[in-house]
Amino acid sequence: MIKIEHVSKAYQAGVPALNDVSMFIGTGEFVFIVGDSGSGKSTLIKLLLKELEPTEGTIKIGNEDLSKITHKQVPKFRRKIGVVFQDFRLLQDRNVYENVAFAMKVVEAPNREIRTKVPQMLSMVGLAAKYRSLPKQLSGGEQQRVAIARALVNEPKILLADEPTGNLDSKNAWDIMNLLEQINARGTTVVVVTHNMEIVKAMKKRVITMKKGVLVSDEKWGEDNED
Amino acid sequence: MKISSIAYCFRQGLKNIGRNKMFSLASIATMSACIFLFGVFYSLGVNFEAMVKSAEEGVAVTVFFQEGTSQETIDKVGEALDDQKRDGVVADYKFVSADEAWESFKADYFKGHEEAAEGFGDDNPLANSANYEIYMKDISKQEELVTYLQGLEGVREVNQSEVAAQTLSDFNSLIGYIFTGMILILVAVAVFLINNTVTVGISVRKEEIAIMKLIGAKDNFVRAPFVVEGVFIGLVGAVIPLVLLYFLYRSIVSYVADQFSFLSGFLDFIPLQDVFGVLVPVSLLMGVGIGYIGSRMTLKKHLQV
């Protein structure tokens, strides 16, 4: 599904943010990418979204080589990937329903389809009753659920979550992780970038560890990894 | 783009105007001022041009002949004037025989004292005054025509109202230059303001644009609401001054007709429908065009999608 081969990225010559990183993430996997600030996690996400171009190496998603995707083809490519951020990035002047519908409007989905799918998605994330609320009227956890509904409404094959629990308390963080696990169980490949080692340890998934732009470990965590 | 998407972009464009009220109003006001001034200049320009044209047509060049010039030679000059008429230099010309010249002179200067003129008996004091009265079509070529006529066989003298002709011609050009210069400045100001409004719109919606791009919106989908915003500002900015100008023009024409009826004949306004037949499409096109160009320029600069 995601194949990264010998990828390096330098914002300035001689200062690599990523250095010769290779990994393969299969269809339907749930993977954590962990590492300190400056480890290259965010750069990796930007490369996967084709917001940045690698200095060296190749990235393939599905059968597509990202270096061969033209500027005009980028929107179509991005529709295959859902993305969730730490700060939710909801439109504050639109209610829950409109925020989710927005993602479908943007990809020019028919209105009939929007009217059917948005309530289904809100129901899946447990916010059907709050469809008229504005983001400021919701808790952090609820806002992140709206963001997840928005990311999934166009049925992407991959969900990238960049620090999805970074702004949440422990209970809400767990709720979000459980939701991501449910989404993964339905067949969506989920890649979560996080600092939250408590959750990473407890969920016993594949964990890729980055340090100063280098991939230092890639293993399935279980009982052995618990301190 | 699908019809539902076009409708969505259209609504978003109008919402942008609502969200960005002060800048949008400032842009509409400036656009209105620009097009209002354009309308005023245009209305003045076409009316002045019509007046100049009618004045030009009244300007005559007169060709007199040497004593004893044969009718054949005079006819040859007439043929030369036919050529000038075909070339668009001369609007019309008229041959005035010596007898007609004397009759006209008598009518002008001996009116009421016809007995004084009878003293001349059958003698025509203007025997050498057979002439061609020439009415110019293109006043700028008058000087050239006079030189040409002076060189023809049998021509004794060519009279012309030189100062009037040149002044009208120069003034007409001057008005044209001022008109063009003003319009160019106004267009630049309007484009600049639309630019500013759309730039503010982009900065207000920066987050939304970033999300749209990440979700997979096509470039045109991201840009369209801003283009709608620019075009709508241009359109409203054109309609307001057109309505104002319509009532203003109508009022001025009827006021001048009522209060300055003695000027009729000299100060004949071009009919409202003739002026607006051109002014309405040109102004709407200007408004929409300036709005479109202004917003596209801004998008190119500030919205790398």
Side-chain angles (χ1 to χ4, degrees):
Chain A
M1 169 84 358
I2 300 173
K3 193 174 185 185
I4 297 173
E5 287 183 301
H6 305 292
V7 166
S8 297
K9 174 68 189 174
Y11 294 103
Q12 288 173 286
V15 190
L18 279 184
N19 196 358
D20 196 26
V21 171
S22 297
M23 66 175 79
F24 177 80
I25 298 171
T27 305
E29 270 199 86
F30 191 118
V31 179
F32 282 112
I33 298 178
V34 298
D36 298 331
S37 296
S39 61
K41 304 186 303 285
S42 297
T43 301
L44 193 61
I45 293 275
K46 284 182 178 165
L47 288 169
L48 291 174
L49 287 167
K50 206 172 158 64
E51 281 192 272
L52 293 175
E53 296 295 328
T55 316
E56 277 177 55
T58 56
I59 302 173
K60 281 186 180 171
I61 293 185
N63 294 321
E64 281 182 294
D65 182 342
L66 267 57
S67 66
K68 297 207 169 96
I69 294 175
T70 62
H71 175 79
K72 220 177 166 182
Q73 293 167 328
V74 169
K76 211 174 165 192
F77 158 74
R78 286 194 180 147
R79 293 175 192 184
K80 295 174 186 167
I81 303 175
V83 61
V84 176
F85 299 95
Q86 178 176 355
D87 55 359
F88 324 128
R89 295 207 193 167
L90 298 177
L91 301 173
Q92 297 300 318
D93 60 339
R94 279 164 238 194
N95 65 30
V96 167
Y97 180 94
E98 287 165 338
N99 263 284
V100 180
F102 174 71
M104 293 188 79
K105 290 232 158 96
V106 158
V107 301
E108 302 180 53
N111 284 334
R112 199 171 358 98
E113 201 182 323
I114 296 174
R115 282 193 293 268
T116 316
K117 282 185 75 180
V118 174
Q120 280 173 5
M121 202 47 66
L122 288 177
S123 162
M124 190 198 91
V125 299
L127 283 174
K130 295 200 171 182
Y131 75 99
R132 284 172 120 171
S133 305
L134 288 170
K136 64 180 175 192
Q137 295 168 318
L138 303 175
S139 70
E142 287 171 330
Q143 289 190 52
Q144 193 60 293
R145 284 166 181 273
V146 179
I148 290 171
R150 186 181 65 191
L152 291 175
V153 76
N154 290 323
E155 297 174 8
K157 299 269 181 281
I158 302 168
L159 178 65
L160 297 179
D162 190 2
E163 301 281 4
T165 59
N167 281 353
L168 305 179
D169 59 31
S170 174
K171 188 197 169 293
N172 275 314
W174 271 110
D175 286 347
I176 291 300
M177 292 319 295
N178 289 334
L179 182 59
L180 292 178
E181 205 167 18
Q182 282 174 37
I183 290 160
N184 177 241
R186 293 176 182 210
T188 309
T189 306
V190 177
V191 179
V192 180
V193 171
T194 186
H195 271 110
N196 193 331
M197 295 311 287
E198 186 197 330
I199 285 177
V200 173
K201 282 171 192 164
M203 286 188 70
K204 300 183 175 62
K205 302 283 184 188
R206 179 179 165 196
V207 179
I208 295 169
T209 309
M210 309 273 301
K211 195 172 183 183
K212 291 184 180 166
V214 178
L215 194 157
V216 291
S217 72
D218 182 352
E219 55 192 338
K220 174 133 172 107
W221 279 30
E223 303 297 322
D224 298 347
N225 302 92
E226 291 184 17
D227 306 322
Chain B
M1 210 184 270
K2 290 176 184 166
I3 292 173
S4 61
S5 302
I6 293 170
Y8 178 78
C9 291
F10 194 79
R11 278 198 305 274
Q12 288 305 312
L14 297 186
K15 273 187 187 172
N16 280 355
I17 294 173
R19 284 185 199 131
N20 201 359
K21 274 190 206 86
M22 288 316 289
F23 273 90
S24 301
L25 284 174
S27 293
I28 289 173
T30 315
M31 180 70 83
S32 296
C34 290
I35 293 188
F36 182 78
L37 281 175
F38 167 75
V40 168
F41 276 113
Y42 176 79
S43 309
L44 285 175
V46 286
N47 276 291
F48 183 74
E49 203 177 292
M51 283 171 205
V52 166
K53 203 163 181 213
S54 87
E56 275 181 358
E57 280 165 2
V59 173
V61 172
T62 319
V63 181
F64 293 98
F65 298 96
Q66 288 160 355
E67 199 175 339
T69 303
S70 67
Q71 190 57 42
E72 195 185 343
T73 310
I74 291 172
D75 288 347
K76 272 189 182 167
V77 174
E79 284 164 21
L81 289 172
D82 278 333
D83 289 342
Q84 296 292 327
K85 202 172 167 182
R86 269 193 298 278
D87 292 345
V89 176
V90 166
D92 203 6
Y93 71 91
K94 189 172 90 182
F95 179 69
V96 181
S97 67
D99 290 341
E100 283 168 342
W102 175 227
E103 287 306 320
S104 168
F105 187 85
K106 279 198 290 190
D108 287 345
Y109 295 101
F110 290 96
K111 201 174 183 183
H113 306 283
E114 283 80 8
E115 69 285 353
E118 280 166 15
F120 288 97
D122 288 337
D123 289 337
N124 181 352
L126 301 179
N128 287 329
S129 293
N131 63 70
Y132 278 113
E133 266 177 23
I134 304 163
Y135 301 93
M136 297 302 295
K137 191 168 188 184
D138 183 352
I139 204 83
S140 67
K141 291 195 176 143
Q142 182 171 313
E143 203 55 53
E144 210 178 299
L145 179 77
V146 167
T147 312
Y148 169 69
L149 292 171
Q150 278 167 341
L152 293 180
E153 192 194 339
V155 172
R156 169 168 58 92
E157 196 182 345
V158 180
N159 283 349
Q160 60 167 325
S161 46
E162 194 179 345
V163 177
Q166 202 52 46
T167 309
L168 281 175
S169 179
D170 289 352
F171 196 56
N172 206 3
S173 309
L174 182 71
I175 289 278
Y177 288 134
I178 293 174
F179 183 69
T180 313
M182 286 295 287
I183 298 305
L184 287 176
I185 293 168
L186 293 175
V187 165
V189 171
V191 168
F192 173 75
L193 270 147
I194 297 263
N195 241 304
N196 268 2
T197 309
V198 174
T199 305
V200 171
I202 289 172
S203 64
V204 168
R205 296 183 60 214
K206 214 168 159 185
E207 183 68 17
E208 185 178 335
I209 292 163
I211 296 166
M212 284 168 97
K213 283 154 77 177
L214 280 174
I215 292 171
K218 287 184 187 161
D219 290 0
N220 283 341
F221 193 88
V222 178
R223 289 185 185 125
F226 297 105
V227 175
V228 168
E229 185 182 355
V231 168
F232 189 79
I233 287 173
L235 197 63
V236 175
V239 169
I240 294 171
L242 281 174
V243 172
L244 283 175
L245 280 165
Y246 177 85
F247 288 109
L248 195 67
Y249 193 89
R250 218 171 59 165
S251 310
I252 288 175
V253 170
S254 76
Y255 179 78
V256 171
D258 288 351
Q259 302 293 317
F260 303 95
S261 51
F262 60 91
L263 286 175
S264 69
F266 172 70
L267 202 60
D268 279 336
F269 283 99
I270 293 180
L272 189 79
Q273 60 270 30
D274 288 359
V275 176
F276 278 75
V278 177
L279 194 58
V280 169
V282 170
S283 299
L284 289 177
L285 210 67
M286 262 177 79
V288 169
I290 291 169
Y292 180 79
I293 292 166
S295 55
R296 287 297 297 207
M297 275 169 62
T298 320
L299 291 170
K300 203 171 176 188
K301 195 173 162 193
H302 297 285
L303 199 65
Q304 296 297 328
V305 288

